[in-house]
Amino acid sequence: MLQPYKQNRWKKNFWGYMFLVPALAIFIMFMWVPIFKGLLYSFYHVDFVKGNTFVGFENYARALSDPDVWTAVKNTLYYMSLCLVIGFWVPIAFAIAISELRKFGGAVRVAAYLPFVMPGVVLYGLWRWLYDPVGPINALLGWIGLDQISFLTDTRWSMISLVIMETWQQFGSGMLIYLAAVLSIPRDWYEAAEIDGAGVWARIRYITLPSLRSLIILMLILQIIGTSQGYQSQMALLDGGPNNTTLTYALLMVKYAFTRLDYGTATALGMLMFIVLGGLGIAQFKLSKEDN
């Protein structure tokens, strides 16, 4: 009895399965094939002229013995920490603030999202001008009597400056996600809280933040994964400098592949990152499952 049922179900959904084939083919070709090729190449010395040579775990040994790798790991962890401390709470705060607005909410949403659509070339040019020793920020510091800051050449400020720039650009997209979640919270809860005399801070503490708990955990994991792969601004503005203080793990992989032309070690570094990020993904899945 089950076999005819399965056959009828297959015939009924045949064209639906056919429409999935192109998407699955693209996903496999551009996602899983590169992953498996990266795993394969990590055990080879890649030479496009003389051919590849199997070297076993030599690429992994070379990567783990390179002092630049450990510098890049330290810088990446520092970068991730700064992004959490400086940038993670910004979209949450803006989303909650906008949800409390009675007027001009739409205009504020558009204004907050505009930096996200700014092209990278314009973004980096703008902030290079803002961070310039004679730029607007240092001019403002001098006007209020503070010393100037070498944002891009001082090793103490270089990474912080990049995180501030990226927070300004990226928080708009996260804010819209949080705002959608805040607006989905039943209004009756807030009305009941107001009747009971709860103020704004009490409503945020006991209604809004608990309702956003699952989303905050998800966004936290996604930000950790995203920032661990950060390299674009570090490469465009400072190329890892000054004195390798903005050399992140992903940027070092790019340098191994396209500057040193050592594709084997670059893919070995990529596979090590894949293992770590895969573990974070599994952790996020388990956390979300327990929360549900």
Side-chain angles (χ1 to χ4, degrees):
M1 295 294 293
L2 293 176
Q3 193 67 21
Y5 171 76
K6 290 182 178 180
Q7 291 178 352
N8 292 334
R9 186 178 179 184
W10 169 258
K11 291 180 180 179
K12 182 179 179 181
N13 298 323
F14 175 77
W15 286 110
Y17 294 139
M18 290 300 100
F19 279 111
L20 287 175
V21 169
L24 289 174
I26 292 174
F27 181 78
I28 292 172
M29 182 180 300
F30 292 101
M31 291 293 294
W32 284 105
V33 170
I35 290 174
F36 284 112
K37 281 195 172 183
L39 177 61
L40 178 65
Y41 289 159
S42 67
F43 297 104
Y44 282 82
H45 171 68
V46 180
D47 191 322
F48 295 112
V49 178
K50 299 179 181 179
N52 301 337
T53 305
F54 181 78
V55 294
F57 288 94
E58 183 179 319
N59 291 325
Y60 290 92
R62 183 183 301 109
L64 296 176
S65 63
D66 186 355
D68 287 343
V69 171
W70 298 109
T71 299
V73 170
K74 182 185 69 173
N75 291 341
T76 302
L77 293 175
Y78 178 53
Y79 171 67
M80 294 165 64
S81 302
L82 286 176
C83 288
L84 291 176
V85 172
I86 296 176
F88 182 72
W89 59 271
V90 174
I92 302 175
F94 267 80
I96 294 174
I98 292 175
S99 69
E100 295 289 337
L101 290 178
R102 298 293 182 263
K103 294 182 179 180
F104 308 111
V108 174
R109 296 180 203 179
V110 173
Y113 189 72
L114 280 178
F116 183 73
V117 300
M118 181 177 293
V121 175
V122 178
L123 174 74
Y124 301 139
L126 170 65
W127 281 88
R128 184 176 287 277
W129 170 66
L130 291 174
Y131 285 147
D132 193 89
V134 293
I137 297 179
N138 275 314
L140 177 62
L141 293 175
W143 182 71
I144 61 178
L146 299 177
D147 294 334
Q148 292 186 347
I149 299 175
S150 300
F151 290 100
L152 300 181
T153 57
D154 191 332
T155 56
R156 298 170 299 175
W157 282 95
S158 54
M159 190 69 83
I160 297 175
S161 302
L162 294 181
V163 171
I164 292 173
M165 177 192 69
E166 292 187 342
T167 299
W168 179 82
Q169 184 198 25
Q170 300 289 340
F171 86 93
S173 60
M175 180 210 68
L176 291 182
I177 297 174
Y178 283 115
L179 182 61
V182 171
L183 296 179
S184 68
I185 300 173
R187 296 294 98 184
D188 297 344
W189 297 0
Y190 292 102
E191 293 173 1
E194 289 182 10
I195 293 174
D196 291 339
V200 174
W201 295 114
R203 295 198 301 270
I204 292 173
R205 179 179 178 183
Y206 295 107
I207 298 177
T208 306
L209 292 179
S211 300
L212 296 178
R213 180 176 179 273
S214 298
L215 179 60
I216 290 174
I217 293 175
L218 173 62
M219 296 294 284
L220 174 64
I221 298 297
L222 292 178
Q223 175 159 323
I224 290 174
I225 293 174
T227 53
S228 67
Q229 302 175 61
Y231 80 95
Q232 183 172 314
S233 61
Q234 289 86 349
M235 180 175 66
L237 280 181
L238 298 170
D239 195 30
N243 197 25
N244 282 345
T245 52
T246 59
L247 178 66
T248 57
Y249 191 88
L251 178 56
L252 182 60
M253 279 196 298
V254 172
K255 287 180 175 292
Y256 258 108
F258 301 107
T259 303
R260 306 180 187 182
L261 301 180
D262 189 349
Y263 300 101
T265 305
T267 52
L269 289 170
M271 293 311 302
L272 292 173
M273 174 179 279
F274 175 76
I275 293 171
V276 174
L277 296 185
L280 288 175
I282 294 172
Q284 185 274 325
F285 175 76
K286 289 186 175 181
L287 286 173
S288 61
K289 189 175 181 180
E290 291 175 1
D291 190 64
N292 292 329

